[in-house]
Amino acid sequence: MEQPSIESVTLSASFLERFLVQAPAESLRLYLCVRAAGQQGRMTVTQAAQLLGCTPEQALESALYFQQQGLWQVEDGEIRLPYRQTPAPVLARRPNYEPKELQMYAEKNEEVRRLFAMAQTYLGRMLTHHDLSMIFSLYHWLGLSIEVIEILLRHCVSLGHRNASYIEKVALDWVESGITTVQAAKERVAFLSGDFRQILAAFGQGARMPAPSEQELVEKWRNHWGFSLPVIVYACEKTVEATGKPAFRYADRILENWKKAGVHTVEEAKAAAEAFYQGYRKTESARKPSAKPSSFGAYTQRQYDYEAFEAKQQDRLKGED
């Protein structure tokens, strides 16, 4: 089989922030291979295995990580990057559109006129030159369709954000995450409006956009560890109980212990939390060197040693999340 030629790859700061530490090393290597050597954004699993010097089974396992992150699809033995009707942006900053330039586009292009009218409706104000430039850049520079931009605007407005800089930031995050189609945009909004909003409510917070690190954690809890939303919400409630604040990293530690213990339901999570609480009380009331804990107590401490974790993390958590 002919080996594909290798090209240079540019990784965005957003990608590095999200995946450099969290992503498995083999998945990162595979991502670079597909980006550098893929033909029109595609590469077979067999080709990837040959480039990486591993088995097709190992390459497929590595590919599934970024499929779960929404960066590509794996179908019929082929890894496929998201199809774009226009090239991905290559500029560090959006172009500076002059007023006469924007006026010309609006006069000559029906879609641009519709875009500006739609944006004015959603933002609920007369659009300034800065607003028009930002909105046009989503279409012209980032290559998003009118339909995707409408989903984006509706979502930002539903969160109470009509600021041009905020909308641009969300749009850049979507594009860098491969969210460029109507279906992908709808799925992202459904996640942010459903799962994440319930998680924030459990933390005692109102609607807002997740930080990249928070989004990664929630995706890990749902997609990699397989926890249902009710179990995650319960872990968040226990986090606030223990720390008095919405500490995502603390909730991550709770869920990690529940995963090790085989917890799948809210009832099992409640039993695990109660077992930890009883074990903690028992330890506090009988701290004797000669005391020999029961096998149940020993198991509980191994699986749910939150006490030691909390003691080390409390100060650190003050500056997190």
Side-chain angles (χ1 to χ4, degrees):
M1 180 181 296
E2 182 181 353
Q3 291 287 356
S5 60
I6 304 296
E7 298 180 4
S8 62
V9 175
T10 300
L11 299 177
S12 68
S14 175
F15 178 91
L16 293 174
E17 182 183 358
R18 290 183 63 194
F19 299 117
L20 187 60
V21 175
Q22 296 289 341
E26 292 305 315
S27 295
L28 280 173
R29 290 181 61 208
L30 177 62
Y31 182 80
L32 292 173
C33 282
V34 176
R35 285 285 306 276
Q39 300 298 309
Q40 296 182 336
R42 297 188 175 194
M43 177 180 287
T44 67
V45 172
T46 302
Q47 284 177 322
Q50 290 179 341
L51 285 172
L52 292 172
C54 64
T55 66
E57 291 76 16
Q58 290 171 326
L60 177 60
E61 183 178 352
S62 297
L64 292 178
Y65 173 83
F66 280 117
Q67 175 171 269
Q68 292 171 334
Q69 304 301 319
L71 267 65
W72 60 35
Q73 290 184 333
V74 183
E75 293 181 1
D76 301 325
E78 188 176 58
I79 302 165
R80 305 172 185 175
L81 289 167
Y83 172 77
R84 300 178 188 275
Q85 292 181 331
T86 55
V90 295
L91 301 177
R93 293 182 180 180
R94 63 179 165 90
N96 181 31
Y97 302 102
E98 297 294 333
K100 288 185 179 180
E101 184 180 4
L102 293 174
Q103 182 180 355
M104 178 195 69
Y105 278 115
E107 290 175 351
K108 296 182 178 295
N109 191 315
E110 173 77 24
E111 271 202 332
V112 175
R113 288 199 298 275
R114 183 159 64 92
L115 172 66
F116 288 161
M118 178 187 69
Q120 183 166 301
T121 299
Y122 276 104
L123 299 184
R125 63 172 183 266
M126 291 294 293
L127 300 182
T128 66
H129 170 66
H130 179 66
D131 293 329
L132 291 169
S133 183
M134 182 278 297
I135 293 296
F136 183 66
S137 75
L138 307 185
Y139 173 81
H140 184 261
W141 175 48
L142 298 183
L144 298 177
S145 68
I146 303 292
E147 293 74 21
V148 172
I149 295 173
E150 182 173 12
I151 295 171
L152 172 73
L153 291 173
R154 186 189 307 129
H155 174 61
C156 291
V157 170
S158 73
L159 295 176
H161 295 287
R162 290 178 168 81
N163 180 273
S165 298
Y166 181 90
I167 294 169
E168 182 182 34
K169 181 179 178 181
V170 175
L172 285 168
D173 177 69
W174 282 20
V175 171
E176 290 176 344
S177 300
I179 300 170
T180 57
T181 66
V182 170
Q183 182 61 32
K186 287 181 177 179
E187 289 175 358
R188 172 56 63 91
V189 169
F191 165 73
L192 296 175
S193 301
D195 290 13
F196 194 76
R197 189 164 293 187
Q198 290 188 52
I199 290 169
L200 287 179
F203 274 141
Q205 294 188 318
R208 63 172 176 81
M209 287 291 291
S213 59
E214 295 171 345
Q215 188 172 308
E216 285 176 20
L217 287 174
V218 175
E219 289 175 350
K220 179 176 71 173
W221 300 340
R222 292 303 306 268
N223 299 329
H224 295 282
W225 290 355
F227 282 115
S228 66
L229 183 60
V231 172
I232 293 172
V233 166
Y234 182 65
C236 296
E237 292 171 350
K238 299 303 291 183
T239 294
V240 175
E241 240 179 70
T243 68
K245 63 185 296 183
F248 274 80
R249 294 292 178 186
Y250 194 96
D252 185 59
R253 182 58 182 261
I254 291 177
L255 289 165
E256 182 180 6
N257 280 300
W258 288 357
K259 179 178 181 293
K260 292 175 182 176
V263 169
H264 299 291
T265 67
V266 173
E267 290 70 25
E268 292 172 347
K270 289 181 177 179
E274 179 62 23
F276 163 72
Y277 176 68
Q278 294 299 333
Y280 174 76
R281 288 187 60 188
K282 191 174 183 179
T283 302
E284 285 294 296
S285 62
R287 283 186 176 275
K288 297 180 181 179
S290 59
K292 184 178 180 181
S294 66
S295 59
F296 175 78
Y299 172 79
T300 302
Q301 284 299 102
R302 285 197 303 272
Q303 296 295 335
Y304 302 100
D305 191 12
Y306 301 156
E307 180 191 1
F309 171 72
E310 184 173 356
K312 294 178 181 178
Q313 297 294 330
Q314 280 295 342
D315 289 337
R316 190 179 304 169
L317 285 171
K318 291 178 182 177
E320 291 186 5
D321 304 292

